[in-house]
Amino acid sequence: QRFRMTTDYCFPKMPKWTPKLTSLAYLDINLVEIAEEDLRILGEMRALLSLMLTFYCVKKDRLIIRSHAFLSLKEFCLMIGFSYATRERYLKFEEGAMPKLEKLDVPFFVSVAKAYGFTLGINHLPCLKHAEVSLDNIDATSSESKAAVAAIRNEANAHPNHPRVFIDVERKRIP
């Protein structure tokens, strides 16, 4: 039921055995690169309750969590490992994705997200109670960073559950 990587090793790609673990409830995995197909495969794992996913590369600049994916997931932590090949990514949740998600921990790259109106899509996560968003604003202006924080807060405030959202900005935690 549980697979946890306690090493810095990263699988070069999603292991073929991962979807065969049909009773896997907790997955902590490190990948060099992730593709949307990998997210689709993980999203189809019906028993998965908690996913901690660390990766270094994405094939595209956008990473979309599609609708009807991760139907049982309650906790999702996405970490992007640092390397000189790491590029900023835009993450968004589509309506219908992760319908039972309660706890979220994700990065938010301001300079990429501004092209998409700073939306994260937490309003599409109906059971969300707690979110930690790490704002990466290295290539962003101060006003862009403030706009990103405001957009995330507006999404949270409009959410029917009024989830607690913590935004980490330049090592400062904003409750």
Side-chain angles (χ1 to χ4, degrees):
Q1 287 188 327
R2 185 180 302 259
F3 179 84
R4 183 173 176 222
M5 291 190 74
T6 57
T7 176
D8 289 335
Y9 175 78
C10 292
F11 289 109
K13 59 184 180 176
M14 182 70 69
K16 293 182 190 250
W17 48 257
T18 305
K20 295 177 183 169
L21 302 175
T22 56
S23 63
L24 193 65
Y26 301 91
L27 177 60
D28 176 347
I29 191 165
N30 305 335
L31 301 170
V32 171
E33 182 177 62
I34 191 160
E36 286 205 26
E37 175 65 11
D38 299 326
L39 285 175
R40 187 193 61 72
I41 290 167
L42 291 170
E44 290 177 356
M45 297 175 73
R46 299 288 182 219
L48 197 59
L49 299 174
S50 178
L51 175 61
M52 178 177 274
L53 180 59
T54 303
F55 62 90
Y56 288 84
C57 300
V58 181
K59 291 192 177 191
K60 298 179 180 178
D61 70 337
R62 296 187 321 167
L63 191 58
I64 309 294
I65 307 297
R66 301 286 177 195
S67 63
H68 307 296
F70 299 98
L71 297 179
S72 300
L73 201 68
K74 292 188 178 217
E75 296 181 337
F76 180 55
C77 179
L78 182 68
M79 297 179 8
I80 301 176
F82 176 77
S83 76
Y84 291 106
T86 301
R87 291 190 347 227
E88 297 178 338
R89 302 284 171 239
Y90 173 65
L91 173 68
K92 178 156 181 165
F93 298 93
E94 280 188 350
E95 187 171 357
M98 300 183 174
K100 295 183 180 178
L101 192 75
E102 296 176 6
K103 187 176 180 187
L104 177 68
D105 188 347
V106 293
F108 191 81
F109 293 95
V110 176
S111 61
V112 176
K114 70 182 175 186
Y116 301 99
F118 298 116
T119 58
L120 182 55
I122 59 174
N123 54 316
H124 298 309
L125 305 172
C127 293
L128 190 65
K129 295 178 181 175
H130 180 92
E132 297 250 352
V133 180
S134 300
L135 210 67
D136 184 316
N137 57 4
I138 290 175
D139 295 326
T141 66
S142 176
S143 63
E144 289 169 341
S145 296
K146 288 177 184 174
V149 169
I152 294 167
R153 292 238 183 267
N154 288 339
E155 280 188 55
N157 291 336
H159 195 289
N161 285 357
H162 302 290
R164 291 200 60 175
V165 176
F166 295 93
I167 302 173
D168 289 324
V169 182
E170 300 175 339
R171 296 188 180 99
K172 295 178 191 168
R173 189 174 218 201
I174 302 174

